[in-house]
Amino acid sequence: MDEADPTDLFAAGLRRQRMVDWHAPGPVARAAAAMSGLDAMRAIGDGVLRNRR
């Protein structure tokens, strides 16, 4: 296989893939709306507010 030309940003040898899995923030956003910003951030950090599968 030929080495990729580092000046060719679209060369096949430089191609990378990333899969992103996420959940819509609706339920957490609705619950956080009733809290102050700091309380909401603490609840998210503590795992109290989180999306469940």
Side-chain angles (χ1 to χ4, degrees):
M1 182 191 280
D2 296 330
E3 284 191 34
D5 178 2
T7 60
D8 181 4
L9 298 178
F10 300 101
L14 297 176
R15 183 173 178 203
R16 302 288 184 263
Q17 292 182 346
R18 177 176 293 169
M19 179 180 283
V20 176
D21 184 21
W22 65 281
H23 296 274
V28 172
R30 280 191 293 278
M35 303 176 177
S36 72
L38 183 57
D39 287 341
M41 290 287 99
R42 286 180 175 153
I44 291 169
D46 292 344
V48 174
L49 288 181
R50 62 188 173 100
N51 283 331
R52 303 188 194 284
R53 286 185 171 211

